[in-house]
Amino acid sequence: MRKFLMTTALALTMSAGLATAAENVEVLHWWTSGGEAAALDVLKKDLESKGISWTDMPVAGGGGTEAMTVLRARVTAGNAPTAVQMLGFDILDWAKEGALGNLDDVASKEGWDKVIPAALQKFSKYDGHWIAAPVNVHSTNWLWINKAALDKAGGKEPQNWDELVAMLDNFKAQGITPIAAGGQPWQDATLFDAVVLSLGDDFYKKAFIDLDPEALGSDKMKEAFNRMTKLRSYVDDNFSGRDWNLASAMVIEGKAGVQFMGDWAKGEFVKAKKVPGQDFVCMRFPGTQGAVTFNSDQFAMFKIADDKVPAQLAMASAIENPTFQSAFNVVKGSAPARTDVPDTAFDACGKKAIADLADADKNGRLFGSMAHGHANPAAVKNAIYDVVTREFNGELSADDAVKELVSAVAAAK
Ligand code: BGC
């Protein structure tokens, strides 16, 4: 009897210990803008409703460059967070280092293999094992246009390069800043994703996915840089270093006509209570209709102390819940990471994002975003960023940019 009581007491203490440790997740992320924070809150509240508390580790900086630097320091110090917002090839790099945990049990119990598209699984799995939980799918080849400005410009959505330039000239004549831009390397690269894609699916694939030196050094690439120079002539004097969400605000407030940005920008419009088709227009970058350059935010799950693993697994499970996927992505501006989530709760742009993604996937027109780490590992991505930014800022001619692109990519490969 005494032995039984002692065993029971021990079991109770242990489970109590587990319960306490299981209650918390520490999450590193770069979701610090108004729209991003609102989406993050959906996740936080969802976990809190399941008895899991949240320790926030925000690292500001769109695209996540700064967050990745902080992460490296944390892991080197032997103090990895529970879960980390991460993009594409970065996840695989950490997996290669053996730093990530294993989500196989949850994934197989919940049938993730069947509902998460292969394009995402490529980054959620390493060596056949689940290492990350995808929370969304964003895409980068979008335009976010102020509706009143577009109406003044004749109301027609530009279908090709010439019509795009005509619209920008009209915005200039209206006395507003034609393009709301934030001069940061990842933002320049986001625009470059769309410009390169607009010169052909095949060109995008050869240049950014295959890293084919011929495509990187081609006349088409020179044309892409020339278009960047042209677009640069429509930004305001204060664009350098501006955060992307402040650029979104310029369009929201009617101070600028259009922003070229991934659909996280829509999170800012939604947060400002703006309605698609009424206050703003979302459309694909002219010449890229039907094709999608995507990136997916995933929570990479790090190897952590055993007693913290239950909370980590509970977080992964909560992220893949279809109801959560809908609630979160409606606010974030992204499409769900599962193919079985109804689009009912999404606005017109969200419905379009979901449909475009499915079509592009079906038609072989879905490509990983170079700017957001889904085409190449960080070393190559950063080499491309550097050339694109220097050209955009007039430090390189289009001719020199093409040459530098070829050599920078070769050196980084
Ligand atoms: C992420 C988005 C984020 C954006 C701006 C992208 O790389 O995928 O979730 O909103 O950066 O911070």
Side-chain angles (χ1 to χ4, degrees):
M1 180 69 185
R2 199 164 151 242
K3 194 170 164 212
F4 170 77
L5 280 178
M6 274 176 64
T7 319
T8 316
L10 187 66
L12 280 175
T13 321
M14 276 175 66
S15 70
L18 263 184
T20 323
E23 272 170 6
N24 182 265
V25 287
E26 191 197 2
V27 184
L28 193 151
H29 63 89
W30 64 91
W31 284 336
T32 55
S33 78
E36 291 173 330
L40 193 73
D41 215 43
V42 178
L43 178 56
K44 253 188 235 176
K45 293 224 165 82
D46 186 86
L47 294 181
E48 274 161 16
S49 78
K50 297 176 167 71
I52 302 167
S53 68
W54 179 280
T55 302
D56 206 31
M57 178 85 200
V59 183
T65 311
E66 290 78 2
M68 291 304 102
T69 308
V70 171
L71 173 64
R72 174 67 56 191
R74 284 281 307 258
V75 180
T76 307
N79 183 22
T82 314
V84 179
Q85 178 197 357
M86 220 183 268
L87 296 173
F89 280 88
D90 288 340
I91 305 173
L92 301 181
D93 281 348
W94 281 107
K96 259 178 228 155
E97 290 190 27
L100 302 186
N102 184 318
L103 305 175
D104 286 351
D105 284 350
V106 188
S108 73
K109 203 171 96 214
E110 299 180 356
W112 293 5
D113 273 300
K114 283 184 255 100
V115 289
I116 294 173
L120 303 195
Q121 285 192 33
K122 184 179 160 199
F123 302 106
S124 328
K125 278 178 158 181
Y126 182 72
D127 223 0
H129 300 293
W130 284 89
I131 45 168
V135 66
N136 65 13
V137 192
H138 274 301
S139 51
T140 56
N141 56 321
W142 286 105
L143 260 61
W144 306 94
I145 313 177
N146 179 286
K147 176 75 163 58
L150 182 66
D151 286 347
K152 271 197 215 159
K156 186 172 177 286
E157 295 177 14
Q159 296 306 308
N160 54 42
W161 175 251
D162 290 343
E163 289 181 13
L164 175 64
V165 170
M167 181 185 80
L168 295 171
D169 283 336
N170 190 293
F171 289 165
K172 201 180 204 171
Q174 289 178 33
I176 57 174
T177 300
I179 300 177
Q184 294 170 348
W186 75 271
Q187 293 190 60
D188 304 342
T190 302
L191 174 57
F192 201 54
D193 263 3
V195 168
V196 169
L197 184 66
S198 74
L199 292 168
D201 286 12
D202 204 43
F203 176 54
Y204 184 94
K205 185 178 169 293
K206 279 196 183 134
F208 288 158
I209 312 284
D210 305 340
L211 299 178
D212 170 13
E214 226 171 276
L216 290 168
S218 64
D219 284 349
K220 257 197 187 175
M221 192 55 84
K222 191 176 155 195
E223 173 64 9
F225 280 116
N226 281 331
R227 289 187 179 191
M228 292 296 281
T229 306
K230 178 71 180 165
L231 294 173
R232 165 79 153 75
S233 71
Y234 294 105
V235 310
D236 66 326
D237 289 344
N238 299 321
F239 91 109
S240 193
R242 175 188 288 136
D243 286 333
W244 67 273
N245 54 312
L246 300 182
S248 305
M250 290 167 70
V251 177
I252 291 170
E253 290 161 13
K255 293 182 182 143
V258 60
Q259 182 182 24
F260 304 99
M261 189 44 64
D263 40 16
W264 46 91
K266 203 197 68 187
E268 300 304 302
F269 285 84
V270 169
K271 182 90 197 339
K273 304 226 173 334
K274 299 295 176 193
V275 178
Q278 195 174 300
D279 306 306
F280 69 98
V281 170
C282 59
M283 62 170 287
R284 293 293 173 182
F285 192 93
T288 71
Q289 293 84 343
V292 169
T293 39
F294 82 97
N295 64 293
S296 163
D297 291 302
Q298 309 214 12
F299 282 99
M301 299 299 180
F302 276 76
K303 272 188 188 150
I304 45 174
D306 285 350
D307 62 345
K308 290 186 183 160
V309 170
Q312 187 179 53
L313 298 181
M315 178 178 173
S317 167
I319 287 171
E320 299 312 331
N321 177 288
T323 311
F324 166 77
Q325 282 277 325
S326 177
F328 175 88
N329 287 302
V330 159
V331 180
K332 184 68 173 71
S334 34
R338 305 173 56 116
T339 50
D340 61 345
V341 178
D343 71 359
T344 344
F346 289 78
D347 63 22
C349 299
K351 286 188 168 69
K352 181 172 165 52
I354 294 171
D356 283 359
L357 201 62
D359 285 349
D361 200 10
K362 196 173 67 206
N363 300 329
R365 303 191 66 194
L366 181 62
F367 306 105
S369 156
M370 175 280 292
H372 293 267
H374 281 63
N376 306 108
V380 173
K381 178 185 87 170
N382 290 331
I384 301 177
Y385 272 20
D386 180 56
V387 178
V388 170
T389 289
R390 283 193 290 141
E391 196 280 341
F392 197 57
N393 286 299
E395 290 164 32
L396 286 176
S397 67
D399 268 322
D400 289 342
V402 168
K403 284 184 207 131
E404 292 243 359
L405 193 62
V406 176
S407 53
V409 168
K413 262 208 267 191

